[in-house]
């Protein structure tokens, strides 16, 4: 009985590795890969969101451990941004329920487009701060990411890294480290609720997150070897793709809400 189940979970392993590599390098949770995959596996959108969030916990834990060992994270900064993200994500987790699907996706597309232009290498920005930003500033960044996650379902890392780089003058590498810590905190906070109401699939989350955690720890430990310009290019590429995809789906939902049916190419009228 267990053999078919094991075989059905094997396709999750390589995708978990990819998600973990991106998480460790860019400070994101991996949900960008987890959620579409889980939908393809037949989970409902609510189940996919909950299971993806649960899988993000071990993923970002692996990256956080590696970043902590680097000696380039401070307790005050880590606690501040993690606390802001966790509290805000919990308070605003139902903020977007009053908006229609096309409205949410339109706002997502606008936010991703903004973030695409916001993140830049330090050569194009004001001089980078020599000192770490004040803990209150980091807490506010975490809270901002929590609001975006609650309203739009947007990954906190994609919000926090550009804001810390452009707004707080942090180097990209440092922003990625603190983003990883904050995403870990916010995903832990949300996962408790998802486990309590039974929406998450713990086995699938364990397979995905466990595999991703190994890859995240490996890539996070090698973060300093990646040039800042390359990290910025990767972040821009991801946010641009997401902006286009969210915009495309928003248009489709808007047409559906208006009762307009788009004819597929090649279909007869």
């Amino acid at each position: 009985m267990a053999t078919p189940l094991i075989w059905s979970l094997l396709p999750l392993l390589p995708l978990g590795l990819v998600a973990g590599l991106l998480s460790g390098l860019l400070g994101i949770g991996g949900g960008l890969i987890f959620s579409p995959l889980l939908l393809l596996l037949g989970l409902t959108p609510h189940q996919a969101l909950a299971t993806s969030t649960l899988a993000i916990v071990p993923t970002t834990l692996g990256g956080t451990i590696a970043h902590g060992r680097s000696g380039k994270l401070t307790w005050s900064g880590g606690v501040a941004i993690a606390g802001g993200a966790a509290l805000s994500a919990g308070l605003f987790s139902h903020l977007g329920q009053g908006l229609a699907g096309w409205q949410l996706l339109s706002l997502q597309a606008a936010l991703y487009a903004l973030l695409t232009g916001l993140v830049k290498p330090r050569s194009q920005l004001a001089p980078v701060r020599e000192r770490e930003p004040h803990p209150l500033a980091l807490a506010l960044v975490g809270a901002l990411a929590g609001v975006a996650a609650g309203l739009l379902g947007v990954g906190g890392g994609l919000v926090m890294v550009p804001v810390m780089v452009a707004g707080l003058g942090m180097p990209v590498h440092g922003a990625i480290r603190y983003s990883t810590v904050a995403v870990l905190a916010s995903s832990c906070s949300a996962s408790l609720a998802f486990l309590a109401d039974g929406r998450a699939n713990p086995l699938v989350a364990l397979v995905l997150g466990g595999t991703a955690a190994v890859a995240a720890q490996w890539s996070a430990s090698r973060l300093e070897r990646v040039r800042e310009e390359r990290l910025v290019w990767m972040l821009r590429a991801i946010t641009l793709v997401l902006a286009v995809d969210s915009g495309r789906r928003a248009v489709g939902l808007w047409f559906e809400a208006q009762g307009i049916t788009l004819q597929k190419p090649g279909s007869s009228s």
Side-chain angles (χ1 to χ4, degrees):
M1 294 293 291
T3 301
L5 176 59
I6 293 174
W7 282 107
S8 68
L9 295 176
L10 285 180
L12 303 180
L13 300 181
L15 291 166
L17 290 174
V18 173
L21 291 173
L22 289 176
S23 176
L25 280 180
L26 302 178
I28 61 179
L32 300 176
I33 294 176
F34 292 154
S35 293
L37 168 66
L38 295 171
L39 289 171
L40 287 175
L41 291 177
L43 274 68
T44 67
H46 289 92
Q47 291 172 332
L49 171 64
T51 304
S52 172
T53 302
L54 186 57
I56 287 171
V57 175
T59 304
T60 49
L61 178 60
T64 299
I65 291 173
H67 292 319
R69 288 175 177 171
S70 71
K72 296 182 179 180
L73 284 174
T74 65
W75 277 105
S76 59
V79 169
I81 195 168
L87 290 174
S88 181
L91 288 173
F92 296 100
S93 59
H94 304 293
L95 196 61
Q97 289 184 343
L99 298 177
W102 70 268
Q103 293 173 321
L104 287 174
L105 289 172
S106 297
L107 290 173
Q108 277 189 11
L111 178 59
Y112 284 134
L114 175 64
L115 294 175
T116 301
L118 188 62
V119 60
K120 297 178 181 179
R122 73 179 74 188
S123 60
Q124 300 179 25
L125 295 169
V128 177
R129 296 176 184 268
E130 293 296 329
R131 294 184 179 180
E132 179 181 283
H134 193 277
L136 178 59
L138 290 172
L140 291 175
V141 171
L144 174 64
V147 173
L151 175 61
L152 305 175
V154 172
L158 287 177
V159 175
M160 285 182 282
V161 173
V163 170
M164 283 188 279
V165 171
L168 301 185
M170 292 183 67
V172 174
H173 293 84
I176 287 172
R177 291 190 181 92
Y178 281 108
S179 172
T180 305
V181 176
V183 175
L184 170 61
S186 60
S187 60
C188 284
S189 175
S191 292
L192 292 176
F194 291 146
L195 285 172
D197 62 23
R199 275 186 281 173
N201 186 316
L203 178 59
V204 173
L206 179 62
V207 173
L208 271 177
T211 306
V214 176
Q217 190 166 1
W218 181 86
S219 61
S221 65
R222 289 158 176 78
L223 177 62
E224 287 296 330
R225 303 181 188 181
V226 183
R227 292 186 299 110
E228 186 170 279
E229 290 76 11
R230 181 167 295 180
L231 293 172
V232 169
W233 179 87
M234 293 172 68
L235 284 166
R236 280 180 168 175
I238 290 175
T239 52
L240 180 59
V241 169
L242 290 171
V244 172
D245 182 63
S246 295
R248 176 188 62 81
R249 290 187 290 128
V251 171
L253 288 177
W254 183 84
F255 276 116
E256 183 179 320
Q258 304 304 312
I260 302 174
T261 302
L262 296 179
Q263 185 174 347
K264 295 182 180 179
S267 61
S268 58
S269 55

